[in-house]
Structure formats: structure tokens, C-alpha cells
Amino acid sequence: MRGYQPGAQPGHVAIKLNTNENPLPPSPRVLKCLADIPGKTLQRYPDPLATEFRASVARHHGLGAEQVIATNGGDELLRLALTTFVEPGRHIGIAVPSYGLYSVLAAIHQAPISGVALTDAWRLPADATDRWTSDGAQLGRVVT
């Protein structure tokens, strides 16, 4: 497998959609909160279980903290889902076109991709889950 190649990075001011970056700066309220964090706090790694954050999210949504997962971004969550729920060698189902990282994660995990092309209206075809199921995909089912 070839190494991951990140998307093009423009050398000028641009709104970049290829790296999930926010085109707007943080709000002044966020910047003030960050400025109020003691420097000593920033010297240490944060709690790897994100205990306080998960408890806060759980309270807000009426869940138990064990029902909340915190990751370092969506890419880590995708990797975690793949390695948790897909046995190496089993298919994953994706829409085509789709997020490019899916194919990278699938290659790392030796999971073949079962791609289903979107319709001209950019929707999954009605038989998408049947096609993924027939390929034995462990991820990719759509719940409606």
C-alpha cells in the first residue's frame, strides 16, 4: 500500500473544503475561554477517556457516559468503527463517490470495498443495502 497523500493545500487564502477546516475563525467567546485556561493545564495530555466531557455530553442528551465516545476527529471515529466492527477481509459498503479516507482505511484493514454508485439525484439506490449484504459487508447498512 502506498502512503496516504493529503489533499492539495493552496498557498493563498482560500476556503478549503478538502480538509474539513472551518472557513470562519473561532468566535470571540471561544477565544476568551481559551485565553482563560491556565498555562499549566496545557502542559499535560488531556484525560485519555475524556471523562468530564463525556459526562457533560451524556447529561445534555440524557445518556449514560458509557454511551458517549470522544475521538480526535471524525477520521479517528471511522478508523475505530472499522477496526471494532469489521473482521479483516470482510467487505465494507460505501456510496460512490464517497469520502476518500474510506478506501485508505479499508486497504489498511484488508477489507474489500463494496461500492454502490449514487443515482443521478445523488441518492443511494433502493437496493444498496441488498447489494452490500450480498457482498457480506459488515459496515454500510442504512437504517431508516
Side-chain angles (χ1 to χ4, degrees):
M1 180 181 148
R2 288 182 287 138
Y4 173 69
Q5 296 294 317
Q9 302 300 310
H12 57 283
V13 176
I15 295 176
K16 296 178 2 180
L17 300 177
N18 67 330
T19 52
N20 297 321
E21 295 178 7
N22 190 338
L24 304 174
S27 78
R29 289 174 59 194
V30 168
L31 292 174
K32 180 176 179 343
C33 287
L34 291 174
D36 290 343
I37 296 173
K40 205 160 193 68
T41 301
L42 301 175
Q43 290 176 270
R44 304 266 183 220
Y45 279 110
D47 170 13
L49 300 178
T51 307
E52 288 182 37
F53 170 76
R54 290 175 39 244
S56 176
V57 170
R59 277 191 306 277
H60 180 77
H61 291 285
L63 302 169
E66 72 281 357
Q67 294 175 284
V68 177
I69 187 167
T71 63
N72 292 311
D75 289 357
E76 183 181 358
L77 183 59
L78 292 171
R79 190 227 22 103
L80 183 61
L82 183 70
T83 57
T84 300
F85 298 110
V86 178
E87 297 167 30
R90 294 285 301 270
H91 285 76
I92 61 168
I94 67 169
V96 177
S98 195
Y99 184 38
L101 186 67
Y102 293 146
S103 59
V104 173
L105 294 174
I108 291 169
H109 198 63
Q110 298 177 343
I113 290 176
S114 175
V116 173
L118 296 174
T119 68
D120 290 340
W122 291 91
R123 297 182 183 266
L124 279 171
D127 68 342
T129 55
D130 293 335
R131 291 162 59 184
W132 289 328
T133 300
S134 71
D135 282 345
Q138 287 185 282
L139 282 182
R141 298 204 173 149
V142 176
V143 178
T144 56

